[in-house]
PDB file of all heavy atoms in Angstrom:
ATOM      1  N   SER I1475      83.190  93.612 117.549  1.00  0.00           N
ATOM      2  CA  SER I1475      81.764  93.278 117.549  1.00  0.00           C
ATOM      3  C   SER I1475      81.537  91.765 117.429  1.00  0.00           C
ATOM      4  O   SER I1475      80.427  91.291 117.648  1.00  0.00           O
ATOM      5  CB  SER I1475      81.036  94.012 116.421  1.00  0.00           C
ATOM      6  OG  SER I1475      81.534  93.581 115.178  1.00  0.00           O
ATOM      7  N   LEU I1476      82.577  91.011 117.096  1.00  0.00           N
ATOM      8  CA  LEU I1476      82.451  89.562 116.927  1.00  0.00           C
ATOM      9  C   LEU I1476      82.967  88.768 118.129  1.00  0.00           C
ATOM     10  O   LEU I1476      83.056  87.551 118.053  1.00  0.00           O
ATOM     11  CB  LEU I1476      83.213  89.109 115.677  1.00  0.00           C
ATOM     12  CG  LEU I1476      82.727  89.644 114.342  1.00  0.00           C
ATOM     13  CD1 LEU I1476      83.617  89.136 113.225  1.00  0.00           C
ATOM     14  CD2 LEU I1476      81.292  89.251 114.088  1.00  0.00           C
ATOM     15  N   LYS I1477      83.309  89.461 119.220  1.00  0.00           N
ATOM     16  CA  LYS I1477      83.875  88.752 120.378  1.00  0.00           C
ATOM     17  C   LYS I1477      83.022  87.567 120.807  1.00  0.00           C
ATOM     18  O   LYS I1477      83.534  86.495 121.114  1.00  0.00           O
ATOM     19  CB  LYS I1477      84.025  89.722 121.554  1.00  0.00           C
ATOM     20  CG  LYS I1477      85.420  90.166 121.794  1.00  0.00           C
ATOM     21  CD  LYS I1477      85.472  90.987 123.060  1.00  0.00           C
ATOM     22  CE  LYS I1477      86.906  91.378 123.319  1.00  0.00           C
ATOM     23  NZ  LYS I1477      87.052  92.222 124.475  1.00  0.00           N
ATOM     24  N   GLU I1478      81.715  87.777 120.824  1.00  0.00           N
ATOM     25  CA  GLU I1478      80.812  86.708 121.276  1.00  0.00           C
ATOM     26  C   GLU I1478      80.755  85.555 120.267  1.00  0.00           C
ATOM     27  O   GLU I1478      80.450  84.437 120.621  1.00  0.00           O
ATOM     28  CB  GLU I1478      79.399  87.270 121.503  1.00  0.00           C
ATOM     29  CG  GLU I1478      79.344  88.397 122.530  1.00  0.00           C
ATOM     30  CD  GLU I1478      79.868  87.969 123.893  1.00  0.00           C
ATOM     31  OE1 GLU I1478      79.564  86.830 124.327  1.00  0.00           O
ATOM     32  OE2 GLU I1478      80.609  88.757 124.512  1.00  0.00           O
ATOM     33  N   GLU I1479      81.045  85.836 119.004  1.00  0.00           N
ATOM     34  CA  GLU I1479      80.937  84.819 117.960  1.00  0.00           C
ATOM     35  C   GLU I1479      82.264  84.095 117.690  1.00  0.00           C
ATOM     36  O   GLU I1479      82.336  83.264 116.793  1.00  0.00           O
ATOM     37  CB  GLU I1479      80.445  85.469 116.665  1.00  0.00           C
ATOM     38  CG  GLU I1479      79.041  86.069 116.811  1.00  0.00           C
ATOM     39  CD  GLU I1479      78.674  86.882 115.600  1.00  0.00           C
ATOM     40  OE1 GLU I1479      79.247  87.981 115.457  1.00  0.00           O
ATOM     41  OE2 GLU I1479      77.855  86.406 114.810  1.00  0.00           O
ATOM     42  N   LEU I1480      83.313  84.413 118.435  1.00  0.00           N
ATOM     43  CA  LEU I1480      84.613  83.793 118.182  1.00  0.00           C
ATOM     44  C   LEU I1480      84.580  82.279 118.322  1.00  0.00           C
ATOM     45  O   LEU I1480      85.356  81.576 117.682  1.00  0.00           O
ATOM     46  CB  LEU I1480      85.685  84.383 119.091  1.00  0.00           C
ATOM     47  CG  LEU I1480      86.230  85.732 118.656  1.00  0.00           C
ATOM     48  CD1 LEU I1480      87.207  86.276 119.678  1.00  0.00           C
ATOM     49  CD2 LEU I1480      86.887  85.647 117.309  1.00  0.00           C
ATOM     50  N   SER I1481      83.674  81.766 119.136  1.00  0.00           N
ATOM     51  CA  SER I1481      83.586  80.307 119.278  1.00  0.00           C
ATOM     52  C   SER I1481      83.134  79.657 117.968  1.00  0.00           C
ATOM     53  O   SER I1481      83.448  78.505 117.691  1.00  0.00           O
ATOM     54  CB  SER I1481      82.624  79.942 120.404  1.00  0.00           C
ATOM     55  OG  SER I1481      81.326  80.436 120.097  1.00  0.00           O
ATOM     56  N   LEU I1482      82.414  80.404 117.123  1.00  0.00           N
ATOM     57  CA  LEU I1482      81.967  79.872 115.830  1.00  0.00           C
ATOM     58  C   LEU I1482      83.112  79.756 114.834  1.00  0.00           C
ATOM     59  O   LEU I1482      83.029  79.018 113.865  1.00  0.00           O
ATOM     60  CB  LEU I1482      80.878  80.774 115.229  1.00  0.00           C
ATOM     61  CG  LEU I1482      79.600  80.932 116.040  1.00  0.00           C
ATOM     62  CD1 LEU I1482      78.691  81.954 115.382  1.00  0.00           C
ATOM     63  CD2 LEU I1482      78.885  79.594 116.171  1.00  0.00           C
ATOM     64  N   ILE I1483      84.189  80.511 115.054  1.00  0.00           N
ATOM     65  CA  ILE I1483      85.290  80.539 114.100  1.00  0.00           C
ATOM     66  C   ILE I1483      86.054  79.221 114.124  1.00  0.00           C
ATOM     67  O   ILE I1483      86.437  78.702 113.101  1.00  0.00           O
ATOM     68  CB  ILE I1483      86.205  81.757 114.355  1.00  0.00           C
ATOM     69  CG1 ILE I1483      85.410  83.021 114.012  1.00  0.00           C
ATOM     70  CG2 ILE I1483      87.482  81.669 113.563  1.00  0.00           C
ATOM     71  CD1 ILE I1483      86.106  84.304 114.321  1.00  0.00           C
ATOM     72  N   ASN I1484      86.277  78.667 115.284  1.00  0.00           N
ATOM     73  CA  ASN I1484      86.849  77.328 115.435  1.00  0.00           C
ATOM     74  C   ASN I1484      88.161  77.136 114.672  1.00  0.00           C
ATOM     75  O   ASN I1484      88.268  76.295 113.793  1.00  0.00           O
ATOM     76  CB  ASN I1484      85.806  76.278 115.008  1.00  0.00           C
ATOM     77  CG  ASN I1484      86.245  74.876 115.397  1.00  0.00           C
ATOM     78  OD1 ASN I1484      87.099  74.708 116.276  1.00  0.00           O
ATOM     79  ND2 ASN I1484      85.678  73.883 114.760  1.00  0.00           N
ATOM     80  N   MET I1485      89.157  77.968 115.013  1.00  0.00           N
ATOM     81  CA  MET I1485      90.508  77.804 114.463  1.00  0.00           C
ATOM     82  C   MET I1485      91.487  77.815 115.630  1.00  0.00           C
ATOM     83  O   MET I1485      92.080  78.841 115.946  1.00  0.00           O
ATOM     84  CB  MET I1485      90.826  78.937 113.485  1.00  0.00           C
ATOM     85  CG  MET I1485      90.286  78.716 112.115  1.00  0.00           C
ATOM     86  SD  MET I1485      91.016  79.820 110.941  1.00  0.00           S
ATOM     87  CE  MET I1485      89.654  80.895 110.613  1.00  0.00           C
ATOM     88  N   PRO I1486      91.664  76.675 116.280  1.00  0.00           N
ATOM     89  CA  PRO I1486      92.499  76.637 117.485  1.00  0.00           C
ATOM     90  C   PRO I1486      93.968  76.996 117.250  1.00  0.00           C
ATOM     91  O   PRO I1486      94.640  77.451 118.157  1.00  0.00           O
ATOM     92  CB  PRO I1486      92.353  75.193 117.984  1.00  0.00           C
ATOM     93  CG  PRO I1486      91.875  74.417 116.807  1.00  0.00           C
ATOM     94  CD  PRO I1486      91.128  75.378 115.925  1.00  0.00           C
ATOM     95  N   ASP I1487      94.486  76.808 116.052  1.00  0.00           N
ATOM     96  CA  ASP I1487      95.897  77.100 115.779  1.00  0.00           C
ATOM     97  C   ASP I1487      96.140  78.547 115.365  1.00  0.00           C
ATOM     98  O   ASP I1487      97.286  78.934 115.145  1.00  0.00           O
ATOM     99  CB  ASP I1487      96.426  76.165 114.686  1.00  0.00           C
ATOM    100  CG  ASP I1487      96.422  74.714 115.141  1.00  0.00           C
ATOM    101  OD1 ASP I1487      96.762  74.468 116.309  1.00  0.00           O
ATOM    102  OD2 ASP I1487      96.072  73.849 114.325  1.00  0.00           O
ATOM    103  N   ALA I1488      95.081  79.312 115.235  1.00  0.00           N
ATOM    104  CA  ALA I1488      95.229  80.693 114.771  1.00  0.00           C
ATOM    105  C   ALA I1488      95.578  81.624 115.920  1.00  0.00           C
ATOM    106  O   ALA I1488      95.090  81.471 117.035  1.00  0.00           O
ATOM    107  CB  ALA I1488      93.944  81.168 114.103  1.00  0.00           C
ATOM    108  N   GLU I1489      96.435  82.587 115.611  1.00  0.00           N
ATOM    109  CA  GLU I1489      96.697  83.684 116.542  1.00  0.00           C
ATOM    110  C   GLU I1489      95.642  84.743 116.228  1.00  0.00           C
ATOM    111  O   GLU I1489      95.478  85.149 115.079  1.00  0.00           O
ATOM    112  CB  GLU I1489      98.108  84.224 116.306  1.00  0.00           C
ATOM    113  CG  GLU I1489      98.529  85.263 117.304  1.00  0.00           C
ATOM    114  CD  GLU I1489      99.949  85.764 117.038  1.00  0.00           C
ATOM    115  OE1 GLU I1489     100.661  85.198 116.183  1.00  0.00           O
ATOM    116  OE2 GLU I1489     100.326  86.742 117.694  1.00  0.00           O
ATOM    117  N   ILE I1490      94.911  85.174 117.262  1.00  0.00           N
ATOM    118  CA  ILE I1490      93.775  86.073 117.043  1.00  0.00           C
ATOM    119  C   ILE I1490      94.021  87.409 117.729  1.00  0.00           C
ATOM    120  O   ILE I1490      94.458  87.457 118.880  1.00  0.00           O
ATOM    121  CB  ILE I1490      92.465  85.441 117.572  1.00  0.00           C
ATOM    122  CG1 ILE I1490      92.208  84.107 116.873  1.00  0.00           C
ATOM    123  CG2 ILE I1490      91.292  86.394 117.382  1.00  0.00           C
ATOM    124  CD1 ILE I1490      91.044  83.313 117.441  1.00  0.00           C
ATOM    125  N   HIS I1491      93.734  88.485 116.997  1.00  0.00           N
ATOM    126  CA  HIS I1491      93.769  89.831 117.560  1.00  0.00           C
ATOM    127  C   HIS I1491      92.403  90.482 117.333  1.00  0.00           C
ATOM    128  O   HIS I1491      91.755  90.241 116.313  1.00  0.00           O
ATOM    129  CB  HIS I1491      94.844  90.688 116.897  1.00  0.00           C
ATOM    130  CG  HIS I1491      96.216  90.448 117.430  1.00  0.00           C
ATOM    131  ND1 HIS I1491      97.224  91.360 117.289  1.00  0.00           N
ATOM    132  CD2 HIS I1491      96.762  89.418 118.126  1.00  0.00           C
ATOM    133  CE1 HIS I1491      98.325  90.910 117.855  1.00  0.00           C
ATOM    134  NE2 HIS I1491      98.062  89.715 118.360  1.00  0.00           N
ATOM    135  N   ILE I1492      91.997  91.303 118.305  1.00  0.00           N
ATOM    136  CA  ILE I1492      90.718  92.007 118.246  1.00  0.00           C
ATOM    137  C   ILE I1492      90.991  93.485 117.986  1.00  0.00           C
ATOM    138  O   ILE I1492      91.857  94.086 118.623  1.00  0.00           O
ATOM    139  CB  ILE I1492      89.951  91.871 119.586  1.00  0.00           C
ATOM    140  CG1 ILE I1492      89.780  90.402 119.976  1.00  0.00           C
ATOM    141  CG2 ILE I1492      88.632  92.599 119.536  1.00  0.00           C
ATOM    142  CD1 ILE I1492      88.766  89.657 119.184  1.00  0.00           C
ATOM    143  N   VAL I1493      90.237  94.063 117.075  1.00  0.00           N
ATOM    144  CA  VAL I1493      90.380  95.479 116.745  1.00  0.00           C
ATOM    145  C   VAL I1493      89.008  96.146 116.849  1.00  0.00           C
ATOM    146  O   VAL I1493      87.987  95.517 116.546  1.00  0.00           O
ATOM    147  CB  VAL I1493      91.007  95.657 115.336  1.00  0.00           C
ATOM    148  CG1 VAL I1493      90.093  95.158 114.256  1.00  0.00           C
ATOM    149  CG2 VAL I1493      91.402  97.083 115.096  1.00  0.00           C
ATOM    150  N   ASP I1494      88.995  97.406 117.311  1.00  0.00           N
ATOM    151  CA  ASP I1494      87.718  98.105 117.472  1.00  0.00           C
ATOM    152  C   ASP I1494      87.033  98.380 116.142  1.00  0.00           C
ATOM    153  O   ASP I1494      85.855  98.119 115.977  1.00  0.00           O
ATOM    154  CB  ASP I1494      87.915  99.422 118.238  1.00  0.00           C
ATOM    155  CG  ASP I1494      88.226  99.162 119.713  1.00  0.00           C
ATOM    156  OD1 ASP I1494      87.772  98.123 120.240  1.00  0.00           O
ATOM    157  OD2 ASP I1494      88.927  99.991 120.317  1.00  0.00           O
ATOM    158  N   LYS I1495      87.766  98.953 115.194  1.00  0.00           N
ATOM    159  CA  LYS I1495      87.179  99.283 113.898  1.00  0.00           C
ATOM    160  C   LYS I1495      88.003  98.669 112.784  1.00  0.00           C
ATOM    161  O   LYS I1495      89.224  98.712 112.805  1.00  0.00           O
ATOM    162  CB  LYS I1495      87.128 100.789 113.700  1.00  0.00           C
ATOM    163  CG  LYS I1495      86.140 101.471 114.611  1.00  0.00           C
ATOM    164  CD  LYS I1495      86.066 102.941 114.305  1.00  0.00           C
ATOM    165  CE  LYS I1495      85.093 103.586 115.267  1.00  0.00           C
ATOM    166  NZ  LYS I1495      84.989 105.019 115.086  1.00  0.00           N
ATOM    167  N   MET I1496      87.310  98.122 111.807  1.00  0.00           N
ATOM    168  CA  MET I1496      87.982  97.523 110.664  1.00  0.00           C
ATOM    169  C   MET I1496      87.211  97.911 109.408  1.00  0.00           C
ATOM    170  O   MET I1496      85.993  97.865 109.390  1.00  0.00           O
ATOM    171  CB  MET I1496      87.999  95.998 110.819  1.00  0.00           C
ATOM    172  CG  MET I1496      88.878  95.309 109.829  1.00  0.00           C
ATOM    173  SD  MET I1496      88.851  93.508 109.942  1.00  0.00           S
ATOM    174  CE  MET I1496      88.937  93.185 111.673  1.00  0.00           C
ATOM    175  N   PHE I1497      87.936  98.308 108.389  1.00  0.00           N
ATOM    176  CA  PHE I1497      87.310  98.701 107.134  1.00  0.00           C
ATOM    177  C   PHE I1497      87.584  97.623 106.094  1.00  0.00           C
ATOM    178  O   PHE I1497      88.628  97.609 105.467  1.00  0.00           O
ATOM    179  CB  PHE I1497      87.849 100.052 106.669  1.00  0.00           C
ATOM    180  CG  PHE I1497      87.664 101.130 107.698  1.00  0.00           C
ATOM    181  CD1 PHE I1497      88.720 101.531 108.497  1.00  0.00           C
ATOM    182  CD2 PHE I1497      86.427 101.719 107.870  1.00  0.00           C
ATOM    183  CE1 PHE I1497      88.546 102.513 109.456  1.00  0.00           C
ATOM    184  CE2 PHE I1497      86.249 102.709 108.821  1.00  0.00           C
ATOM    185  CZ  PHE I1497      87.305 103.108 109.618  1.00  0.00           C
ATOM    186  N   GLY I1498      86.667  96.731 105.942  1.00  0.00           N
ATOM    187  CA  GLY I1498      86.828  95.668 104.959  1.00  0.00           C
ATOM    188  C   GLY I1498      87.520  94.449 105.530  1.00  0.00           C
ATOM    189  O   GLY I1498      88.074  94.470 106.621  1.00  0.00           O
ATOM    190  N   GLY I1499      87.466  93.386 104.758  1.00  0.00           N
ATOM    191  CA  GLY I1499      88.084  92.142 105.188  1.00  0.00           C
ATOM    192  C   GLY I1499      88.590  91.360 103.993  1.00  0.00           C
ATOM    193  O   GLY I1499      88.404  91.761 102.843  1.00  0.00           O
ATOM    194  N   GLY I1500      89.234  90.258 104.305  1.00  0.00           N
ATOM    195  CA  GLY I1500      89.739  89.423 103.230  1.00  0.00           C
ATOM    196  C   GLY I1500      90.804  88.460 103.701  1.00  0.00           C
ATOM    197  O   GLY I1500      90.995  88.265 104.905  1.00  0.00           O
ATOM    198  N   ILE I1501      91.503  87.883 102.732  1.00  0.00           N
ATOM    199  CA  ILE I1501      92.544  86.888 103.002  1.00  0.00           C
ATOM    200  C   ILE I1501      93.798  87.283 102.232  1.00  0.00           C
ATOM    201  O   ILE I1501      93.722  87.665 101.066  1.00  0.00           O
ATOM    202  CB  ILE I1501      92.097  85.485 102.546  1.00  0.00           C
ATOM    203  CG1 ILE I1501      90.837  85.044 103.297  1.00  0.00           C
ATOM    204  CG2 ILE I1501      93.203  84.466 102.743  1.00  0.00           C
ATOM    205  CD1 ILE I1501      90.258  83.734 102.796  1.00  0.00           C
ATOM    206  N   ILE I1502      94.952  87.145 102.899  1.00  0.00           N
ATOM    207  CA  ILE I1502      96.247  87.354 102.254  1.00  0.00           C
ATOM    208  C   ILE I1502      97.054  86.085 102.478  1.00  0.00           C
ATOM    209  O   ILE I1502      97.223  85.659 103.620  1.00  0.00           O
ATOM    210  CB  ILE I1502      96.999  88.560 102.856  1.00  0.00           C
ATOM    211  CG1 ILE I1502      96.144  89.823 102.796  1.00  0.00           C
ATOM    212  CG2 ILE I1502      98.336  88.764 102.147  1.00  0.00           C
ATOM    213  CD1 ILE I1502      96.669  90.967 103.639  1.00  0.00           C
TER     214      ILE I1502
END
């Protein structure tokens, strides 16, 4: 659901994967 907003993330060095459904978020 955030595909259109990925330009706002602005992390060029990050490897990004898209998933259809996600339950919760955070940082590890």
Side-chain angles (χ1 to χ4, degrees):
S1475 64
L1476 297 178
K1477 256 186 178 177
E1478 301 301 319
E1479 297 171 288
L1480 281 176
S1481 61
L1482 299 174
I1483 292 175
N1484 191 20
M1485 278 195 251
D1487 295 320
E1489 186 179 352
I1490 301 172
H1491 279 201
I1492 305 286
V1493 66
D1494 289 331
K1495 291 184 182 178
M1496 190 183 316
F1497 304 101
I1501 299 174
I1502 305 167

